[in-house]
Amino acid sequence: MTENNQKVPVEEHKNSEQESRFEHGRHITGGFLGPLLAILIWLIPIEGLTPEAHKLLSIVVLVAIWWITEPVPIPVTSLVGPTLCVVFGVVKMKEAFAAFANPMIFLFMGGFIIAKAMTVNGLDKRIAYGIMSMKWVGDSPRRIFLAIGLACMLCSGWISNTATAAMMFPIALGLLEAIREMMAHKGKIINLHTYKYATGLMLMTAYACSIGGVLTPIGTPPNIIMIGFLDQLANTHISFFSWMIWGFVAMVCYFIITYIVLTRMFPADIKRIEGAQELIAEKVRGLGKWTLAQKNTLFAFLVAVVLWVTPGIISLCDGTDSELLKAYNSILPEAAVAMIGALLLFFLPADKKFKNKTLTWREALAGIEWGTLLLFGGGLAMGGMMYSTGLSAWIGQLIIESLGGNPSEYVFVAVFCVMALLLSELTSHTAATNMIGPLAIGAALSAGFNPVPVAVGVALSSSLGFMLPVSTPPNAIVYSSGYVPITKMIKTGVYIDFIGIFCITIPIVLYLVNLILG
């Protein structure tokens, strides 16, 4: 049964059964295909590779296939790769697992804890409902459509896109139910499963959650993964502030394109939604007055944000070679700032009697996405070994030769952006970034290109998985409503994905990123 107690059509049950059979077949096929191909590659002589690089190549093939087909959970595969590298003598134990203590993991962990506090204490709802209740929104379908998108986008820049989608999904359903009741009162019965505006509103909820993630390094895993790869493989540090500049531009442009495409494909056939303002007002009243825990969470969040952007302000005022900037970064690197913001939550009291804290350890544990951290660490470990054994340079050279030996930077970036996009449609965008990232950076270094633009392009493109329910958790959440036909999701996803890559992603990484980097 769906949220409004309407029966799910028989066709949807058939689709669910077909998807289940497909997933089962994918798991079984990948479970056997991965080891088989890995063994074949190990047995075939390959010129230009050291024995360690050859063995690593076979392990990388196994890991990549298992990341895509998921015969075991993706985080488990992330541990399988480094473990096999130790067992088969590619590297020593310490080198194989050193990446799991990378500072970027603690940056992400701190972000997870702050995001969990926002969710537990209701700060995320205050932000989202505050946007929805603004006077300019009113009961206009187009403005509500815009407000839902803005709320999803701005929240997911700082908290999980999955949590944001789960929070905004019931609001969107409530608004659609208000439309259905309003139309029924006027004697017109509508089926929300085939109602265009319902499809558009659901897709806006999902897509805006993914779009908002590109804003900050902690907004979505691909961002922090590529920052980690750049630091590890190219010795290039990208500051929080620098990422936010091009992330903000990309986010706004993606959102504008998404809004235009969705409003044209799924226009509203009414001028106002009766009961919409009352619904939002009721949600706001349900939050009650600001609690001390909410104020503390906002304080800890703002402390982290201010400390994250301060280096960028110093560099603008005093130059990138400033002694003050160097001193600041040595004392307060981004990972330490994330932990400062997170740790404050365990000290700030949630009541005047000092009995409770703003966040408990149990709540924090539930908020940390350990699987994502393991996947991140495993990806960095495999990427680092590919670099140290020379495998990434070898693969990078093959890619350059396949592109004609001397490709333009535009073609080079476009190829990797499309690769990242297509792979993220089929598997976790985190896994896709882990696979494409080292290859992109290795190929850029082999071709003599600055690796930063292609790395940023891969991260941004990995967040544009809009074509299938399996591409992102927000897609899966809204698809479960029954209001989004799979054909509509594919069609709109294709439009937004490729317009986004060729009209936004590539220009941003080739011009804006290079401009900021000087």
Side-chain angles (χ1 to χ4, degrees), residues 369-387:
E369 297 181 22
W370 298 104
T372 299
L373 294 182
L374 289 175
L375 177 53
F376 178 36
L380 286 179
M382 298 302 291
M385 288 183 284
M386 289 173 66
Y387 180 78

Side-chain angles (χ1 to χ4, degrees), residues 300-469:
F301 170 69
L302 292 177
V303 166
V305 172
V306 170
L307 293 178
W308 273 328
V309 302
T310 296
I313 297 173
I314 294 175
S315 65
L316 289 176
C317 298
D318 205 21
T320 55
D321 295 326
S322 163
E323 291 298 324
L324 176 61
L325 179 61
K326 293 177 182 177
Y328 185 97
N329 286 332
S330 67
I331 297 171
L332 291 171
E334 282 106 341
V337 169
M339 298 311 296
I340 289 172
L343 293 173
L344 277 174
L345 298 165
F346 299 102
F347 291 94
L348 296 173
D351 54 58
K352 295 181 179 179
K353 295 182 179 180
F354 294 86
K355 287 186 176 181
N356 301 302
K357 297 298 188 291
T358 302
L359 188 69
T360 67
W361 181 240
R362 185 181 297 273
E363 291 167 339
L365 282 176
I368 297 174
E369 297 181 22
W370 298 104
T372 299
L373 294 182
L374 289 175
L375 177 53
F376 178 36
L380 286 179
M382 298 302 291
M385 288 183 284
M386 289 173 66
Y387 180 78
S388 63
T389 60
L391 179 60
S392 61
W394 180 78
I395 295 176
Q397 190 59 43
L398 288 181
I399 294 173
I400 295 301
E401 291 174 1
S402 69
L403 294 176
N406 188 29
S408 68
E409 191 174 12
Y410 182 95
V411 172
F412 178 82
V413 171
V415 166
F416 280 103
C417 285
V418 173
M419 286 172 61
L421 168 66
L422 295 179
L423 195 55
S424 68
E425 293 287 0
L426 301 174
T427 187
S428 157
H429 63 354
T430 310
T433 310
N434 274 329
M435 284 183 270
I436 300 298
L439 303 182
I441 293 174
L445 294 174
S446 296
F449 294 135
N450 183 343
V452 177
V454 71
V456 176
V458 167
L460 296 181
S461 300
S462 296
S463 293
L464 291 176
F466 293 162
M467 288 191 277
L468 297 169

